[in-house]
Amino acid sequence: MALGKTTTAALTGVRADIVTIEANIGPGLPGIHIVGLGDTAISEARDRIRTAVANSHLEWPKTKVVLSLSPASLPKSGSHFDLAMAMAILTAREGRPEVTSRLNSTLLLGEVGLDGGIHAVPGILPALLAAREHGYRCVVVPPGNAAEAAILPGTDILSAGTLRTAFEWAAGRGELPRVTSVGEITETPPQPDMADIAGQPEAKFAAEVAATGGHHMMLLGPPGSGKSMIAGRLPGLLPPLTESECIETTSVHSVAGHAFHGPVCRAPFIAPHHSVSRAALLGGGAGNPRPGAVSLAHHGVLFLDEASEIPAPVLDSLRTPLEDGVVQLVRSRREVRFPARFQLLLAANPCRCAAEEVHRCRCTPRQRATYLNNLSGPLRDRLDITVRTHSRGAVISTTGSEGSVTIAERVAAGRERARERWSRYGLGHLHNAVVDPHLLRRYFPADDAAMALLGAHLGDAEVSQRGVDRALKLAWTICDLEDADQPDLDHMARALELQGHAGLVGAV
Ligand SMILES: [Zn+2]
């Protein structure tokens, strides 16, 4: 009887847990038996591993092999277990204690190919975080994951291209190349710039306010009026992600299996097609589910163009992540959570005829009123800003209007002002959009003239109570942008305009 032991990690959403793999070679007919709640990919591993070992000119046990994955209660899924399973069998076969000494404090990650090569796998970053948390000093990763692994300091990362080199290293007969940190990645691809857009002053101002206060926004305008141009330039107005935000967001993209092009340091911009399914929006799939668009947009912007074409049940599924900042997917044996704190941006034609200007609309009042009915009340309540784009403004600017860098500086200053205010009152809030409306009304009203204006609108039944709350939040954001102490009449008038309240569209 011979025993081998290795360590790897199991993914649940963007969380990883340490998994120990033990291989026992004992009497019995040749074959591998795997115990410990593995999925199909793990069952299939037995054929992959056996072929890979043979093609690597390594010795395969001639009797029965039992592989035990523990903790047994933890569901395990994915092909990244291959390397650790193969190495457990090979070390058991070798049967010398010095073989295992290098493996004692090492995490092994990688899918083994039939030729013995080690292939890249999703979810490297969460696995590395788990390794660091549990005090593993060394992690062996496939060469295809080396760049991603290198962004996390504090762990020795070794890159193994083949099963054979990995085993020679474990046996103390060879070394594996150490992956050194790629350092600060300073070159980011050029971002689209607000300077490209001529005209559209209202929509550009709305984007600036949305970026400062973290407000969800809806852009209404005829086709070709620059809605998606403005939307695509919102991330360029947002500050770079903090280090922890960057790790969180990069982890989500890592679990999604996206090719690694450096850590996600800027607010991501995720724009699924209007035919997007509920599963693609929220995440899903067999095994360890993949994150959906709402999670890929974590700490960034989710842009839904042609929102009127998206079925109501799909749009409604956004409500929970908008409220809680997480998505919970229930699988047969467990609950998987993905972070999903994003800024929502919707765009739509103002009505079915998509007239260039409001007065040219040929729709009946009823058609206009029902056009955006797929947007349920609760979802609409979350849209602080509704702004109209005009077809005449959709010209690419060549003379250069104000650029994103200048606007982003104002945004950063406004956000800082809000952050200071809310932290002074012991509120951890970063954005005006998420401040409790009761608190705002009671302790942070606008000045008397501004509140009187708001009261007059409420009296006319033009604005609902929720509308009042939204207007007050927006007024605070405009006030922060202007470095003022309390929202005044002018701030409030502009806030009401941004709400799309001025009769832009009947339905919204
Ligand atoms: Zn119309």
Side-chain angles (χ1 to χ4, degrees):
M1 192 179 85
L3 264 174
K5 190 172 148 190
T6 57
T7 315
T8 184
L11 288 171
T12 309
V14 285
R15 236 184 76 81
D17 293 289
I18 300 294
V19 169
T20 304
I21 297 179
E22 288 172 301
N24 182 68
I25 303 173
L29 290 172
I32 313 181
H33 302 266
I34 302 174
V35 293
L37 221 57
D39 75 343
T40 332
I42 290 175
S43 302
E44 286 169 352
R46 68 187 91 204
D47 297 325
R48 269 202 304 276
I49 293 169
R50 190 177 181 139
T51 314
V53 168
N55 287 336
S56 303
H57 306 291
L58 293 163
E59 290 265 356
W60 185 257
K62 293 187 175 62
T63 54
K64 181 178 167 183
V65 179
V66 177
L67 277 176
S68 165
L69 283 55
S70 61
S73 58
L74 187 73
K76 300 165 196 75
S77 153
S79 56
H80 66 275
F81 287 89
D82 288 7
L83 179 60
M85 285 160 63
M87 294 285 279
I89 296 171
L90 289 171
T91 51
R93 169 73 186 73
E94 186 90 355
R96 288 182 296 123
E98 64 269 27
V99 172
T100 52
S101 67
R102 278 187 161 177
L103 291 174
N104 281 343
S105 58
T106 301
L107 215 68
L108 302 170
L109 301 162
E111 177 185 310
V112 172
L114 296 181
D115 60 352
I118 299 176
H119 302 165
V121 289
I124 283 286
L125 212 47
L128 283 170
L129 286 166
R132 197 167 69 170
E133 195 182 312
H134 288 86
Y136 286 86
R137 289 197 305 274
C138 178
V139 181
V140 175
V141 302
N145 291 125
E148 182 184 334
I151 70 169
L152 209 64
T155 313
D156 268 354
I157 310 289
L158 302 177
S159 155
T162 64
L163 186 56
R164 193 175 178 90
T165 53
F167 182 64
E168 296 296 320
W169 167 80
R173 293 191 290 260
E175 293 303 323
L176 289 174
R178 187 176 302 266
V179 181
T180 47
S181 166
V182 284
E184 199 92 338
I185 296 180
T186 44
E187 273 186 46
T188 47
Q191 301 276 321
D193 200 293
M194 278 289 180
D196 302 336
I197 302 169
Q200 309 287 11
E202 304 94 338
K204 281 161 93 172
F205 177 63
E208 181 174 338
V209 174
T212 308
H215 303 286
H216 303 308
M217 176 163 87
M218 171 123 177
L219 291 152
L220 287 171
S225 61
K227 300 188 292 284
S228 38
M229 279 181 76
I230 288 166
R233 282 157 179 77
L234 183 68
L237 306 185
L238 297 168
L241 302 188
T242 63
E243 198 181 328
S244 65
E245 288 173 341
C246 167
I247 299 284
E248 271 180 39
T249 308
T250 309
S251 290
V252 176
H253 289 245
S254 168
V255 170
H258 288 182
F260 182 77
H261 300 294
V264 184
C265 310
R266 307 248 10 154
F269 180 75
I270 305 296
H273 188 254
H274 62 74
S275 63
V276 65
S277 67
R278 200 170 175 275
L281 204 55
L282 298 187
N288 188 42
R290 296 292 167 100
V294 294
S295 298
L296 295 172
H298 184 52
H299 292 311
V301 176
L302 178 70
F303 176 50
L304 298 176
D305 202 0
E306 313 275 359
S308 55
E309 304 294 318
I310 303 175
V314 176
L315 277 179
D316 267 354
S317 68
L318 291 172
R319 276 164 56 185
T320 316
L322 279 172
E323 195 142 320
D324 302 337
V326 291
V327 175
Q328 287 189 27
L329 302 169
V330 180
R331 286 289 168 276
S332 53
R333 286 182 292 194
R334 57 187 165 157
E335 192 179 73
V336 179
R337 290 160 70 93
F338 285 113
R341 204 165 285 291
F342 58 90
Q343 195 164 353
L344 179 64
L345 214 51
L346 298 178
N349 295 327
C351 61
R352 199 162 303 280
C353 80
E356 290 197 355
E357 295 303 330
V358 180
H359 64 269
R360 294 210 179 130
C361 172
R362 297 184 306 274
C363 304
T364 63
R366 185 178 158 70
Q367 280 173 329
R368 285 173 59 87
T370 56
Y371 181 58
L372 287 168
N373 266 6
N374 60 332
L375 258 75
S376 68
L379 190 59
R380 247 177 246 178
D381 277 340
R382 307 207 172 277
L383 295 168
D384 288 346
I385 302 177
T386 302
V387 70
R388 173 109 191 192
T389 53
H390 306 280
S391 55
R392 62 176 182 276
V395 199
I396 301 280
S397 170
T398 47
T399 51
S401 50
E402 192 177 42
S404 290
V405 173
T406 316
I407 305 172
E409 280 170 12
R410 283 200 300 269
V411 168
R415 285 169 80 109
E416 182 54 25
R417 207 178 156 76
R419 197 193 61 76
E420 266 177 24
R421 178 178 55 249
W422 303 129
S423 57
R424 201 161 54 234
Y425 290 96
L427 305 168
H429 300 303
L430 277 174
H431 311 308
N432 294 341
V434 294
V435 175
D436 182 348
H438 303 287
L439 205 76
L440 212 57
R441 254 180 278 145
R442 182 150 182 197
Y443 299 107
F444 301 95
D447 73 12
D448 290 348
M451 291 312 280
L453 175 69
L454 204 49
H457 277 273
L458 189 62
D460 291 350
E462 284 182 58
V463 181
S464 65
Q465 185 59 57
R466 282 174 190 276
V468 167
D469 295 338
R470 289 201 303 253
L472 194 51
K473 285 178 186 179
L474 283 172
W476 267 109
T477 302
I478 297 167
C479 170
D480 288 336
L481 273 170
E482 297 197 345
D483 201 11
D485 292 325
Q486 191 187 23
D488 61 19
L489 189 61
D490 173 56
H491 299 143
M492 187 58 77
R494 283 192 284 163
L496 286 166
E497 227 166 86
L498 279 180
Q499 254 190 318
H501 156 71
L504 284 175
V505 156
V508 174

